[in-house]
Amino acid sequence: MPTVKIMDLASTEVGEIELVDAVFGVPLNEPLIHEAVRSFLANRRAGTSATKTRGDVSGSGRKLWKQKGTGRARIASLRSPLWKGGGNAHGPQPRDWSYNLPKKMRKRAMCSALSERVREGNLIIVDEWKFDQGKTKEFIKILGSLKLNGKTLIVDSLKNTKLMLASRNVQTAKVVNSYGLNIYDLINHQKLVLTPQVVEELTGILQPRTRDDEEESHQTHSSEGEAASPPPRPRDRGVQA
């Protein structure tokens, strides 16, 4: 199990925490992380881009000149894509870009990204985010003491109003909770700051179920089903007297 030091806001070591291998000790899987980021960005697209076709633009629909005999090219309508001010042929239309990525793949990608932050040494565990007044100046001072330069992702409870108020004007820092953490933020931010409580929450969310638990639950359900209903009687295939 990887071990990370727990720091206070003054960058003083106050303890250690052991991280679960199933979440923070997963090998790097770049193709899986790429697919998870691609799915996240696709699901975030609005898909509202649109162009006007020949049926949407304004203009008369009458035939401008007769089909033959004028020496000019045949034309049916001013709204044709061949004319200036006409409709757009094969232009973008509103659509849904989202697609579903399996839950196991999403969790595995998150675990792989978290584990890579641990191996890089960019995972910092803070015992608790405590502020006297919740000022931005105080928050920037804490970032300097913890040596959090560059883009920093802080995972803590959104009920910590002082942390939210102190960090909202800092463009290089972002605060989310355990359930709002996503693969894009993990890749987009260089530093990751957690608390021991958040580590437990992420372990409970991302830790895969063991095969033994699944087998035990399956055996429990099967035994309950057998106790509830008696075994079926064999059919009598003989000739009745």
Side-chain angles (χ1 to χ4, degrees):
M1 290 186 179
T3 303
V4 180
K5 299 178 181 179
I6 301 177
M7 316 293 289
D8 60 5
L9 298 183
S11 189
T12 304
E13 182 180 351
V14 295
E16 291 184 350
I17 183 173
E18 289 187 353
L19 306 177
V20 180
D21 286 334
V23 178
F24 296 94
V26 179
L28 177 63
N29 191 339
E30 290 186 7
L32 182 59
I33 294 177
H34 174 269
E35 185 63 29
V37 173
R38 181 172 175 268
S39 173
F40 178 83
L41 295 178
N43 296 341
R44 202 173 64 171
R45 293 186 65 171
T48 56
S49 59
T51 55
K52 290 184 177 181
T53 63
R54 63 186 300 164
D56 300 325
V57 297
S58 61
S60 174
R62 74 178 182 90
K63 191 173 178 66
L64 298 180
W65 53 77
K66 62 181 183 179
Q67 182 82 351
K68 295 180 179 294
T70 62
R72 290 178 289 185
R74 52 193 178 186
I75 183 66
S77 172
L78 277 174
R79 295 179 292 180
S80 170
L82 302 178
W83 283 71
K84 183 179 180 299
N88 192 341
H90 309 295
Q93 296 297 323
R95 57 165 294 184
D96 183 13
W97 291 92
S98 64
Y99 65 95
N100 184 28
L101 191 68
K103 184 187 296 184
K104 289 184 179 179
M105 294 180 65
R106 295 197 304 266
K107 287 186 175 182
R108 195 68 176 177
M110 291 277 291
C111 294
S112 181
L114 288 171
S115 303
E116 189 63 17
R117 287 289 177 258
V118 175
R119 286 188 288 268
E120 294 171 350
N122 290 328
L123 176 64
I124 294 92
I125 306 296
V126 175
D127 58 348
E128 188 179 3
W129 285 97
K130 266 189 175 182
F131 293 90
D132 296 332
Q133 298 178 348
K135 297 293 185 179
T136 303
K137 183 177 180 180
E138 185 180 2
F139 179 73
I140 294 176
K141 182 179 179 180
I142 293 173
L143 293 182
S145 64
L146 292 174
K147 299 180 181 180
L148 296 176
N149 303 321
K151 304 185 71 173
T152 303
L153 180 63
I154 300 172
V155 186
D156 196 17
S157 174
L158 298 182
K159 295 181 181 180
N160 192 346
T161 56
K162 289 187 177 181
L163 173 62
M164 301 297 296
L165 292 174
S167 62
R168 63 181 180 178
N169 288 332
V170 181
Q171 296 183 357
T172 58
K174 183 178 181 180
V175 180
V176 297
N177 61 358
S178 302
Y179 295 93
L181 184 63
N182 57 73
I183 186 65
Y184 180 76
D185 285 339
L186 281 176
I187 300 301
N188 194 32
H189 292 80
Q190 183 180 3
K191 301 287 185 178
L192 178 63
V193 184
L194 308 178
T195 61
Q197 182 180 359
V198 171
V199 170
E200 294 180 3
E201 293 177 355
L202 290 178
T203 303
I205 295 171
L206 299 176
Q207 188 174 15
R209 293 182 56 189
T210 59
R211 187 179 298 272
D212 295 337
D213 293 340
E214 294 178 357
E215 291 178 356
E216 287 178 3
S217 62
H218 178 71
Q219 292 176 0
T220 303
H221 290 307
S222 61
S223 62
E224 290 177 357
E226 291 176 359
S229 59
R233 296 177 59 185
R235 295 180 58 185
D236 188 8
R237 296 182 180 274
V239 179
Q240 296 182 358

